[in-house]
């Protein structure tokens, strides 16, 4: 069961810089971590421009994207033209994760790709395979229905509400929505038909809705090197938007959850993981179990929390790949991160429903040590995040069932 990390035949040396493909807030936090240490950071994206407004991004450019047939040639030519041989190559978004991992043999002739090959990585990236591997390892997972076509959907015996998710993140409309809640059969069938037309029925995951909101969601965050953890900590996704099955965190705080570390290690050891990673869990109040939801082998939205809490994952990644031995670090419990624009909306909904008091909400600001976009030394991303967020919500995130 335990996958052995594949070795890289390319001669290892201290990297000269970093190329980050795609991503948004997590990429911004990683660029700040590295750029503030004078590491040359190149951002290459065909998605949100947000990270490119950072003063710590030395170079930014657009490209055809990870799904383009010319993607590999573009990166190899980029390295030849600009002397980027030996740079770390890091995926900032889900489509980029799949692309880099699948093209790793070609790309690591020039770059140092900080991911395992796809034959290993797919077992945590594709949700059906993730849940299968988790069950094999004795880890709890949500009830997931075996539905791959509209005919099966119409005949399925479901316990509502259910959640519809893409098997892996991407750039399609359904993948960008991340999760769709269906509280009855009519809504479910309409949602499943729409999702199937968008990404194919075999790629739609239908799952029970585990009770509870962000206060029940937890994460394991870490840097792994060749199949073993270098640094790791756990956090609670206390508030999110939407509040019950959020596609983005809005208020996250460091907590001590040793059982998450044990479960995540078991899962990641089974694939010989290499690189950054976040494993998402949700505590099921019905039986007390922590159920595996998702794995993100890339910088995640609240990536900047680590540095604020004493574990700068970007800096430690750079040190490890440069052949240094980073000091032992632990995350300070209670340290918090906030995505202010969306947290105001999430908090408003929780206060209106009686699940959060105004005093508790304003009191939570006292522990905030990191923000999704704001940084005094790098103010421009925060200034443009509000209009960008409104634009994304209006053009990409609004899910409307067909009539």
């Amino acid at each position: 069961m335990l996958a052995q990390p594949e070795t890289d035949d390319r001669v290892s040396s201290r990297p000269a810089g970093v190329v980050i493909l795609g991503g948004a807030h997590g990429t911004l936090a990683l660029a700040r971590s590295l750029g503030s240490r004078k590491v040359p950071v190149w951002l290459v994206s065909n998605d949100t421009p947000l990270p490119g407004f950072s003063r710590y991004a030395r170079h930014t450019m657009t490209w055809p994207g990870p799904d383009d047939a010319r993607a590999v040639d573009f990166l190899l030519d980029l390295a030849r033209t600009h002397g980027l041989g030996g740079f770390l190559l890091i995926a900032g978004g889900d489509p980029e994760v799949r692309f880099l991992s699948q093209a790793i043999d070609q790309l690591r002739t020039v770059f140092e790709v900080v991911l395992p090959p796809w034959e290993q990585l797919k077992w945590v990236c594709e949700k059906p395979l993730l849940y299968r591997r988790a069950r094999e390892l004795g880890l709890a997972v949500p009830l997931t229905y075996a539905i791959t076509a509209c005919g099966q959907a119409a005949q399925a015996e479901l316990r509502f509400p259910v959640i519809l998710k893409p098997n892996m993140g991407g750039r399609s409309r359904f993948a960008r929505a991340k999760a769709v809640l269906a509280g009855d059969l009519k809504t479910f069938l309409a949602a499943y038909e729409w999702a199937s037309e968008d990404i194919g029925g075999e790629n739609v995951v239908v799952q029970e809705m585990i009770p509870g909101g962000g206060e029940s969601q937890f994460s394991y965050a870490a840097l792994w090197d060749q199949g073993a953890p270098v640094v790791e900590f756990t956090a609670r996704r206390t508030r999110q938007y939407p509040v019950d099955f959020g596609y983005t965190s809005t208020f996250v705080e460091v907590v001590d959850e040793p059982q998450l570390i044990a479960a995540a290690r078991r899962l990641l050891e089974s694939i010989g993981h290499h690189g950054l990673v976040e494993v998402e869990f949700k505590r099921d109040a019905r039986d007390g179990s922590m159920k595996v939801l998702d794995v993100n082998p890339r910088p995640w939205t609240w990536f900047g929390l680590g540095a604020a809490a004493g574990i700068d994952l970007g800096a430690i990644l750079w040190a490890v790949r440069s052949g240094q031995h980073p000091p032992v670090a632990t995350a300070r419990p209670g340290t918090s991160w906030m995505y202010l624009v969306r947290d105001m909306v999430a908090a408003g909904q929780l206060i209106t429903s009686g699940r959060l008091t105004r005093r508790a909400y304003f009191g939570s600001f006292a522990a905030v040590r990191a923000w999704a976009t704001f940084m005094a030394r790098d103010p421009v991303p925060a200034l443009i995040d509000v209009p960008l967020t409104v634009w994304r919500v209006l053009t990409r995130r609004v899910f409307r069932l067909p009539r």
Side-chain angles (χ1 to χ4, degrees):
M1 177 67 69
L2 194 65
Q4 297 300 318
E6 294 189 5
T7 58
D8 188 346
D9 295 331
R10 184 169 53 79
V11 176
S12 178
S13 60
R14 179 186 175 91
V18 175
V19 176
I20 309 175
L21 297 184
H25 297 87
T27 291
L28 173 62
L30 177 59
R32 285 169 166 172
S33 171
L34 297 170
S36 64
R37 287 164 175 78
K38 311 301 181 184
V39 177
V41 176
W42 288 62
L43 299 180
V44 180
S45 179
N46 68 332
D47 194 23
T48 176
L50 176 67
F53 286 92
S54 171
R55 63 183 288 234
Y56 296 111
R58 183 173 297 186
H59 301 278
T60 62
M61 62 179 58
T62 58
W63 73 316
D67 298 323
D68 191 277
R70 302 165 293 167
V72 172
D73 291 336
F74 178 93
L75 293 176
L76 296 179
D77 183 64
L78 179 70
R80 287 191 295 266
T81 303
H82 297 282
L84 306 184
F87 271 46
L88 301 185
L89 187 56
I90 299 174
D94 291 329
E96 290 80 8
V97 165
R98 182 190 291 269
F99 161 70
L100 289 189
S101 187
Q102 290 179 338
I104 194 168
D105 289 337
Q106 296 166 276
L107 292 171
R108 68 182 176 187
T109 61
V110 174
F111 298 100
E112 182 175 345
V113 183
V114 190
L115 277 176
W118 186 245
E119 282 304 306
Q120 297 167 220
L121 194 61
K122 68 180 182 181
W123 286 95
V124 295
C125 284
E126 295 188 359
K127 289 183 178 64
L129 294 180
L130 167 63
Y131 300 142
R132 174 180 162 186
R133 175 57 58 87
R135 285 193 296 266
E136 291 172 348
L137 295 170
L139 305 179
V141 298
L143 172 64
T144 304
Y145 298 92
I147 300 174
T148 59
C150 289
Q152 288 180 308
Q155 299 176 9
E157 295 183 4
L158 306 176
R159 290 187 297 181
F160 291 101
V162 296
I163 296 287
L164 291 82
K165 302 177 180 179
N167 70 335
M168 185 175 175
R171 300 278 158 74
S172 68
R173 285 186 64 203
F174 179 58
R176 286 185 181 276
K178 292 191 178 181
V180 175
L181 178 65
D184 55 61
L185 181 60
K186 182 179 179 180
T187 305
F188 165 69
L189 292 177
Y192 188 87
E193 181 179 3
W194 180 83
S196 297
E197 291 174 354
D198 195 41
I199 65 171
E202 70 281 4
N203 296 317
V204 180
V205 176
V206 181
Q207 196 172 84
E208 68 172 335
M209 171 67 179
I210 301 174
E215 76 286 348
S216 301
Q217 292 206 209
F218 297 82
S219 289
Y220 165 90
L223 169 68
W224 280 57
D225 184 52
Q226 302 298 340
V230 178
V231 289
E232 55 196 357
F233 68 97
T234 55
R236 179 170 57 206
R237 187 172 169 167
T238 305
R239 291 194 294 271
Q240 57 188 359
Y241 181 80
V243 296
D244 289 321
F245 58 99
Y247 56 69
T248 188
S249 304
T250 65
F251 181 74
V252 181
E253 53 189 333
V254 175
V255 295
D256 185 20
E257 288 286 346
Q259 62 174 312
L260 295 193
I261 293 178
R265 282 183 179 180
R266 197 181 314 168
L267 183 62
L268 296 171
E269 284 171 355
S270 78
I271 65 160
H273 187 62
H274 178 63
L276 299 167
V277 65
E278 179 213 13
V279 184
E280 297 181 3
F281 297 82
K282 189 166 186 178
R283 175 176 283 141
D284 192 334
R286 297 169 297 185
D287 59 12
S289 64
M290 284 284 195
K291 294 184 175 177
V292 179
L293 296 182
D294 202 5
V295 175
N296 298 306
R298 52 162 175 77
W300 45 97
T301 303
W302 50 272
F303 184 82
L305 174 61
I311 296 182
D312 190 331
L313 292 168
I316 296 172
L317 168 65
W318 181 255
V320 170
R321 303 323 305 160
S322 299
Q324 304 171 25
H325 296 285
V328 176
T330 57
R332 292 185 291 274
T335 308
S336 301
W337 169 99
M338 183 181 285
Y339 188 172
L340 180 60
V341 177
R342 293 191 175 180
D343 194 55
M344 292 172 65
V345 179
Q349 294 180 353
L350 292 170
I351 291 171
T352 300
S353 64
R355 295 161 63 182
L356 178 69
T357 66
R358 288 182 175 83
R359 181 176 181 178
Y361 172 62
F362 289 110
S364 67
F365 281 77
V368 176
R369 298 293 180 270
W371 304 88
T373 54
F374 176 75
M375 175 183 277
R377 300 190 307 275
D378 189 27
V380 177
L383 295 176
I384 69 164
D385 187 48
V386 173
L388 275 178
T389 298
V390 172
W391 177 76
R392 284 198 302 269
V393 169
L394 292 178
T395 61
R396 303 181 183 185
R397 299 294 192 187
V398 176
F399 175 81
R400 296 188 183 279
L401 294 178
R403 292 184 180 275

